[in-house]
Amino acid sequence: MREKIIIYGGGGHAKTVIDILRSLDTWQIAGIVDDGIEPGTVISGIPVIGNGSVLESLKVEGIHSVVNTVGGIGDYKIRWNVFERLIAAGYDFPTLIHPTAFIEPSAELENGIQILPQSYISSAAQIGFGTLINAGVVVSHDCHIGKCVNLSPGALLAGGVKVDDFAQIGMGVTININVRIGAEALIGNSAVVKSDVPPHARIYAGQIWPNPFSHRDTNPKEYRKIA
């Protein structure tokens, strides 16, 4: 008999998680809990069964597992606050891995991780609690990813990259070998990161970090010629 699980959060990411759970066929989805959606609303065939006030009664019914589908893009605290509430309520957080993702046997995954389609986690990589690895992400060998990190679709991490707690990495970002991304940093879509990023820093979409012209008296044509 499949174990029951609830989904906390009825936004767009919930639809993705519902499809992952269905593809795994090891869980029975008991319903969606959401603080802002009317109970009885149906999302991808799954009903909203109430707000956070029902967590205690669901636990009494014997449901012990939950998936956090609150995104928190741009503000990790939104997603982390949900985790804290669910931890306080005594819930378990299974790690969900889409069947098309590939995880090397030597990789280490903590609880509450979600790995979406076509992602690759390489040898000796370590992924922290509650991290979201979106579709088409590459986490190369010996990477260390902290807790509640968000790796957006198509992010590419070279070997030995460290991403500290609560950092958010945008779509199509490329991070060079052995670079460290500080805690709570935000890396915009398609940025190229060649050196360490301090905690709380913001790298804007399409930016090369560090700026190759910030310390040189040259022009872009000259730089491209010698690069």
Side-chain angles (χ1 to χ4, degrees):
M1 184 174 180
R2 295 180 297 170
E3 182 180 348
K4 289 185 178 181
I5 192 168
I6 59 173
I7 294 171
Y8 198 110
H13 185 57
K15 299 174 183 177
T16 299
V17 169
I18 288 168
D19 281 339
I20 291 177
L21 289 168
R22 286 170 172 161
S23 69
L24 295 174
D25 198 31
T26 54
W27 299 92
Q28 178 184 346
I29 304 173
I32 296 170
V33 175
D34 191 285
D35 296 313
I37 300 177
E38 187 72 20
T41 303
V42 177
I43 299 170
S44 294
I46 305 298
V48 175
I49 56 177
N51 57 31
S53 65
V54 304
L55 289 173
E56 184 175 348
S57 61
L58 290 171
K59 194 78 180 298
V60 171
E61 291 175 17
I63 301 175
H64 301 284
S65 297
V66 64
V67 184
N68 181 1
T69 58
V70 175
I73 295 296
D75 184 1
Y76 76 87
K77 294 178 183 177
I78 297 172
R79 179 170 169 81
W80 184 244
N81 287 343
V82 172
F83 271 124
E84 289 187 318
R85 183 176 190 179
L86 296 170
I87 290 169
Y91 278 89
D92 300 324
F93 305 90
T95 284
L96 303 182
I97 302 172
H98 192 275
T100 64
F102 190 90
I103 318 297
E104 295 290 0
S106 59
E108 298 179 13
L109 309 181
E110 294 189 18
N111 293 333
I113 296 167
Q114 299 167 27
I115 303 178
L116 273 56
Q118 303 295 327
S119 287
Y120 173 61
I121 312 299
S122 189
S123 304
Q126 298 178 8
I127 314 296
F129 172 84
T131 283
L132 172 57
I133 298 177
N134 225 301
V137 169
V138 173
V139 177
S140 298
H141 63 86
D142 299 298
C143 285
H144 290 195
I145 313 299
K147 66 183 178 184
C148 203
V149 168
N150 191 317
L151 300 181
S152 298
L156 304 176
L157 281 60
V161 167
K162 292 180 172 59
V163 183
D164 292 338
D165 297 346
F166 307 121
Q168 298 192 30
I169 312 299
M171 295 186 296
V173 168
T174 301
I175 304 178
N176 281 21
I177 191 168
N178 294 329
V179 163
R180 184 168 198 154
I181 308 297
E184 302 181 38
L186 294 173
I187 313 297
N189 296 341
S190 301
V192 177
V193 182
K194 298 184 175 184
S195 185
D196 291 356
V197 174
H200 312 285
R202 176 74 176 267
I203 309 300
Y204 292 96
Q207 182 178 353
I208 298 175
W209 174 266
N211 186 335
F213 311 116
S214 62
H215 61 287
R216 303 174 57 140
D217 184 19
T218 186
N219 61 56
K221 288 185 178 179
E222 289 175 329
Y223 180 78
R224 283 197 294 268
K225 184 177 180 180
I226 65 175

